[in-house]
Each structure stands twice: as C-alpha cells, then as structure tokens.
Amino acid sequence: MIDTRQKILDAAERLFGEQGYGATSLRHIIAEAGVNLAAIHYHFGTKEELLDQLIMRKGAPVNAERLALLDALEARAQGKAVPLEKLLEAFLGPPMKRVGKSPEFAKLMGRMYGEGLMPGIVERHFQTVVKRSFAALARTLPHLTPGELALRLQFMTGAMAHILMGKALDAKAMTGATPPRGSQTVLRELVAFLSGGLRAPAARKGRRRIDK
Amino acid sequence: MIDTRQKILDAAERLFGEQGYGATSLRHIIAEAGVNLAAIHYHFGTKEELLDQLIMRKGAPVNAERLALLDALEARAQGKAVPLEKLLEAFLGPPMKRVGKSPEFAKLMGRMYGEGLMPGIVERHFQTVVKRSFAALARTLPHLTPGELALRLQFMTGAMAHILMGKALDAKAMTGATPPRGSQTVLRELVAFLSGGLRAPAARKGRRRIDK
DNA sequence: GTCTATACTGAGATAGAC
DNA sequence: GTCTATCTCAGTATAGAC
C-alpha cells in the first residue's frame, strides 16, 4: 500500500507530541501504524528525517498563514510601521490556534523552538518567517538596536515555546493558582505581555555602579 | 576510591550540559570519569537519579541565593511591596550568574525548566522558591489576578529557560543581527523586558467581536 | 562497602531475500 | 515496496571479587 507513508506520519505525529521525540521509539510508531519497522527506513531514512517531514507537513501551513498575515498588515500600513500588537498576533496566532485542535503538533512545535531539538531543521523551516517578522518589528520598535531586538526576540520565542508545549511546569502545583485556559485567552495575554516587554526601554550599559 | 562518585558527577554535569540529558549515554560518562559502568548504578541507581543528584548539588546554592535575596528585600520593604525590578533580579540573577562560569550547568538548568525534563525533579527542587516569588510578585502587581500572574510567570519562565540554554535558536542565523553577549548585559535586558511585560495591563475577556 | 565482569532487553539502523 | 534477520549501542540488573 502506498499510504504506509501516511500511516507512519499520522502515528508519529501523535506519539511525538504526546511523549516527545526522544521518548518515542520507532517500534512504538510502527505498532501504532501497523507497518513493518524497515518501512520507516525505506520511506524516511532515519528517525530525524521522519521528524523533518512531519514538521514540513504541518509546519508549512502555519508559516504560510503567518506570512499571509504579514503581507496583509504591511499592505494596509502602506509603508508605515505596523502596530506592534498586530505583528505579534500574526506571529503567535497561527501556532496558538493549533493548541486546541492539534495539541500534539503544538507541543511538538514548542519543543522545536525551545528544546534545541534539531536546530538545523528549525532553522530551515522557520528562518524565512522569523527574518520577515524581525524586519517588521525593527520598524515598529525604533528604540531598540538590531542586537537588542534580536535578544528580545529570543525572550519572546522562549515564552511562546513554553506555552505551546503546554505547561511544562504545572503552574498550579508550583504557584497554587490556576492560570486561564483556552488558547484565545492565552494568546491575548501573551500579546499583552510581550508588547509590554518589547516596548520597554532598553537597559543600556549605563555603566551604573553596583547599586548604591 | 571514594571520589568515584564525584568523578561521575563532574563528568555527567559536563556532558549533560553540552549534549543534553537524552543524548548523553552512561557509557560516555564512565569513559570520561574513568570508572566502571556499574559504579553509576551502585552510587545513583538510575540515570534519572543521577540527574536528580546533579540538580541538587548545583541547584541548591542557586535557590538558596534566591531565597536569601528575597528575605533581604522583604525585610527592607518592611511589609510593603518590593519593587518589581528587585524581585526579578533576585529570581533571575543567581542562575544567570552561572552562565559565564558554569555554562554546562546553566544549560542543564534551562533544560529542566523548559524542556519538560523530569517534571517531578523540577517541582521538588524549585517549588519553594517559585511559591515565594509568586507571593511577592502578587503583592507588587495587584493589577493581575492570581491566575493571570501564574500565566505570566510561565511566560517569564519560558524566556529565562530559553536564555539559560544559550541561543537554542542561533539568533544571528535567524535574524542577521548579533544580540548582546555577557550575562550581566543579558540579565539587565531580561529584567527590563520582563518588568515591561509584567506591568502591562491584563487583556481581560472584553468579549470583543472578531475585530470589525 | 566498593567496584568489576558480564548478561539482558530494547533502541536505531542496514543488507538482502521476496 | 515490503519484510526478515541481524548489527551495534543504549540503559539496566546481578553475581561475585576485593
């Protein structure tokens, strides 16, 4: 059958998301998919390449959405800077939307950004959209140097990855409080938080004495 | 020799930090340490318990520092709310300090927070300091409900973890810009960013229509 | 109490028959 | 295209030497 490939991809997506990439064995995947072990190596080569195909299959639409939103925003701004909140929604909305309907994939995506999982794969698939977003943010946030903005993008990426993975630290156990659920609510809060952080003035060298 | 245990811990710390927990084999560790494979199981039981001991050995001083700083801040505030930047420095400073002198451990710590690596271990070692910080932040930020603050703490944790791990995404390759180096500079920028984010008003439900 | 030698199970990967 | 058999290396467990 020619959809052996599809069955493998479906099973792998589910299991990688649920248990993580490292903790999922190829033998577990083939048991779920009902195929032979060697079929994975025939169709994908290695476990890593299987992950790569998976990211491509589900990650490409996410990035396409983000780029389309960016295009629309920049067209509407007619050469002026795009409002910060709009840029954040364009970058964060498409992946956050998946948290509800496809939590396994969202979790996997979070791992990719945050875990240092397969850095080469991440760069290849996300470089275009990150570069475009960086350029747009640079125009919206002229008070930051490119280096400062790059650093803040890392802060932002870390926060997003953590949320996509779904409470890597169970907030309730750690703090006693129950954070809001629902990806739309979380998205709004995340945008509010990040826009506050990105707008904050840079803590320049100041060569400040140690307190005093 | 009785320092077989120490040699194992030292080698494990280095290798876990460099390559990650999952990617480091016990056989690699014993080769570095110059001990026998079974020595690990004699002294630590399993690979996971070895990690636990490691976190305890190096993580305990970090948390002790944080708690001491918190104590000092709250004593100085005499019942009033502690300034936000001071709280952030108390929480972020101790781990960030390690980035320079012991990058392997910083990276490991970042993985613990962010990767979902051994959630039980993380909770056990960090719950006290997180709970204390949460309570102090709640008094400093009365505009946030406990749930909203818990969510923002997750954003903050994600950003911190990402930075501790050391450019999980190589910012230069992704954006073209070179972010500031030096853990003190990064700490200042992180505090500026997070205080801006935490102070931002909550994006309450608003029941807003879909744009329009 | 401390360590060595060795064996067991399950992982990813590969060669070659069908 | 698919499957069987097999390879190497992982984490783990235990028996027994010092």
Side-chain angles (χ1 to χ4, degrees):
Chain A
M1 287 184 196
I2 201 164
D3 60 359
T4 294
R5 185 192 164 83
Q6 283 301 320
K7 289 195 286 191
I8 293 171
L9 282 172
D10 290 338
E13 178 182 342
R14 218 170 53 72
L15 294 172
F16 283 166
E18 282 172 9
Q19 318 175 334
Y21 172 80
T24 301
S25 71
L26 294 182
R27 284 170 174 82
H28 193 166
I29 294 172
I30 62 155
E32 284 283 318
V35 302
N36 185 273
L37 175 59
I40 289 187
H41 292 97
Y42 175 75
H43 285 287
F44 302 98
T46 74
K47 189 182 179 184
E48 204 169 313
E49 287 172 75
L50 169 60
L51 174 63
D52 189 281
Q53 298 280 331
L54 212 50
I55 297 295
M56 198 153 67
R57 185 175 73 150
K58 302 298 286 291
V62 174
N63 285 333
E65 262 185 65
R66 295 207 266 209
L67 290 172
L69 289 170
L70 261 181
D71 285 340
L73 289 173
E74 292 187 333
R76 179 141 43 119
Q78 289 181 311
K80 287 188 293 192
V82 179
L84 178 55
E85 278 80 1
K86 295 292 178 192
L87 287 179
L88 291 175
E89 284 168 15
F91 189 78
L92 301 167
M96 290 296 285
K97 233 173 51 177
R98 266 81 178 175
V99 171
K101 49 185 287 193
S102 178
E104 330 81 32
F105 176 66
K107 198 170 170 187
L108 181 56
M109 227 179 134
R111 286 182 195 274
M112 305 275 320
Y113 277 106
E115 193 172 327
L117 184 64
M118 316 292 110
I121 296 181
V122 176
E123 278 175 27
R124 184 149 23 85
H125 289 298
F126 295 99
Q127 196 169 24
T128 303
V129 73
V130 169
K131 272 212 160 102
R132 280 277 314 265
S133 303
F134 177 77
L137 284 166
R139 301 192 54 203
T140 298
L141 300 166
H143 70 298
L144 298 174
T145 67
E148 287 163 350
L149 178 58
L151 185 57
R152 295 197 178 191
L153 269 190
Q154 288 188 279
F155 302 157
M156 170 173 131
T157 302
M160 177 195 69
H162 205 241
I163 292 305
L164 284 177
M165 276 192 284
K167 60 190 175 187
L169 292 174
D170 185 346
K172 196 175 167 195
M174 296 291 272
T175 63
T178 306
R181 302 196 171 275
S183 56
Q184 281 308 306
T185 305
V186 172
L187 174 60
R188 277 201 304 271
E189 290 293 337
L190 185 53
V191 168
F193 178 84
L194 293 175
S195 56
L198 288 168
R199 271 197 262 260
R204 297 271 157 62
K205 315 227 165 187
R207 190 127 330 224
R208 69 169 179 188
R209 302 279 180 182
I210 303 162
D211 205 22
K212 160 51 182 324
Chain B
M1 288 183 195
I2 202 166
D3 57 0
T4 294
R5 187 191 160 83
Q6 284 301 322
K7 289 194 286 191
I8 293 171
L9 281 171
D10 290 338
E13 179 182 341
R14 216 170 54 72
L15 293 172
F16 283 167
E18 281 173 7
Q19 318 175 334
Y21 173 79
T24 301
S25 71
L26 294 182
R27 284 170 174 83
H28 194 167
I29 293 172
I30 61 152
E32 284 283 319
V35 303
N36 184 274
L37 175 58
I40 289 187
H41 291 95
Y42 175 74
H43 286 286
F44 302 97
T46 73
K47 189 182 181 185
E48 203 169 315
E49 287 172 74
L50 169 60
L51 174 63
D52 190 281
Q53 298 280 331
L54 210 52
I55 297 295
M56 199 152 66
R57 185 176 73 151
K58 302 298 287 288
V62 174
N63 285 334
E65 261 184 66
R66 286 164 154 173
L67 290 172
L69 289 169
L70 260 180
D71 286 339
L73 288 172
E74 291 187 335
R76 177 141 44 119
Q78 289 181 308
K80 288 187 294 191
V82 180
L84 178 55
E85 277 79 1
K86 296 292 179 192
L87 288 178
L88 292 175
E89 284 167 15
F91 188 78
L92 302 168
M96 290 296 285
K97 236 172 51 176
R98 267 82 179 173
V99 171
K101 50 185 288 195
S102 177
E104 328 79 32
F105 176 67
K107 199 170 170 186
L108 181 56
M109 226 180 135
R111 286 182 196 275
M112 305 274 321
Y113 276 106
E115 193 171 326
L117 185 64
M118 316 294 109
I121 296 180
V122 176
E123 278 175 26
R124 185 150 22 87
H125 289 299
F126 295 99
Q127 196 170 24
T128 303
V129 73
V130 169
K131 271 211 163 104
R132 281 275 316 265
S133 303
F134 178 77
L137 284 166
R139 301 191 55 203
T140 298
L141 301 166
H143 70 298
L144 298 174
T145 68
E148 287 163 351
L149 178 58
L151 185 57
R152 292 197 182 192
L153 269 189
Q154 290 189 278
F155 302 156
M156 172 174 130
T157 302
M160 179 195 68
H162 205 239
I163 292 305
L164 284 176
M165 276 192 284
K167 61 192 174 180
L169 292 173
D170 185 347
K172 195 172 167 198
M174 295 291 272
T175 64
T178 307
R181 302 197 170 274
S183 57
Q184 281 308 307
T185 306
V186 172
L187 173 60
R188 277 201 305 272
E189 289 293 337
L190 184 53
V191 168
F193 178 83
L194 293 175
S195 56
L198 288 168
R199 270 197 261 260
R204 298 270 158 64
K205 314 228 166 186
R207 193 128 326 229
R208 70 168 179 190
R209 302 280 179 180
I210 305 162
D211 205 19
K212 149 64 178 319

